[in-house]
Amino acid sequence: MKIVYLVGSPSETSINRKLAEAIVELAPEGVEMVEAEITNLPFYNRDLDGNYPETAVKFKELIASADGVLLITPEHNRMFSALLHNAIEWTSRPAGQWDLAGKPIAIAGTSASGIGTSLAQAHLRSTLLFFNPKLMTQPEAYIDATRTGQLEDGAITNEATREILANFIGAFAQFVENSK
């Protein structure tokens, strides 16, 4: 099973990138986790329709090949990131050919607040509904980075959080399997 994941932060030291690394590490055996690099995607522009840049073509092909898609979002001003929004925009083109339609999708994120990325994830879920995906609603992964060890060195060292993440990615793998 191939799960493609997108990290909505361009920073190499992002706590959401570290969250992604932990999830990849904790993925069940037999699950191939592949990152869809979105930092280099140009802003979607309809003038490019019919002549997409190679980075966009490869990105769309990777999403199309996925059994499931995991979106890892930071929270920027109570919203998901512009970087992630741009990637979603690319998946919706050309019009009517939605790469995310019917795909099993899960969302996770971390922030230095007690509510994790709950507001960003709520906005992201709302946006995704347009594509009629198979959206995993439980378990949720709103990770409070103040309790994980991430703010000290980036790594998620808190065992309770690691267990939550292992359960989350395990549940998503089962959700993807059940969606076939």
Side-chain angles (χ1 to χ4, degrees), residues 21-133:
E21 291 170 4
I23 291 172
V24 168
E25 175 190 338
L26 296 167
E29 189 173 321
V31 174
E32 177 189 10
M33 300 289 296
V34 179
E35 182 174 1
E37 174 54 54
I38 61 175
T39 302
N40 296 323
L41 276 175
F43 281 115
Y44 170 74
N45 177 339
R46 72 183 188 135
D47 293 346
L48 299 173
D49 284 354
N51 191 25
Y52 293 151
E54 186 174 341
T55 55
V57 171
K58 289 183 185 242
F59 168 72
K60 290 175 66 53
E61 288 172 349
L62 183 58
I63 295 295
S65 75
D67 295 308
V69 177
L70 172 60
L71 304 174
I72 300 173
T73 185
E75 188 163 293
H76 294 169
N77 304 314
R78 299 186 179 171
M79 289 289 296
F80 59 96
S81 69
L83 184 67
L84 195 53
H85 186 277
N86 185 55
I88 292 168
E89 189 80 11
W90 276 108
T91 70
S92 70
R93 299 297 187 252
Q97 295 179 20
W98 306 331
D99 300 329
L100 295 177
K103 286 268 185 205
I105 297 175
I107 304 169
T110 185
S111 71
S113 79
I115 60 172
T117 56
S118 62
L119 295 174
Q121 288 189 44
H123 285 271
L124 184 50
R125 286 178 197 282
S126 171
T127 299
L128 291 171
L129 291 177
F130 176 78
F131 302 106
N132 196 29

Side-chain angles (χ1 to χ4, degrees), residues 14-16 18-19 110-111 143-157:
S14 161
I15 58 176
N16 279 283
K18 297 300 183 184
L19 176 66
T110 185
S111 71
I143 307 302
D144 176 356
T146 64
R147 298 177 181 214
T148 61
Q150 287 182 286
L151 299 182
E152 289 78 34
D153 67 4
I156 296 178
T157 56

Side-chain angles (χ1 to χ4, degrees), residues 19 22-29 136 139-141 143 156 158-174:
L19 176 66
I23 291 172
V24 168
E25 175 190 338
L26 296 167
E29 189 173 321
M136 184 175 86
E140 297 171 309
I143 307 302
I156 296 178
N158 178 285
E159 285 305 315
T161 302
R162 291 178 64 77
E163 184 176 334
I164 288 168
L165 294 176
N167 289 337
F168 173 81
I169 191 60
F172 185 50
Q174 188 61 56

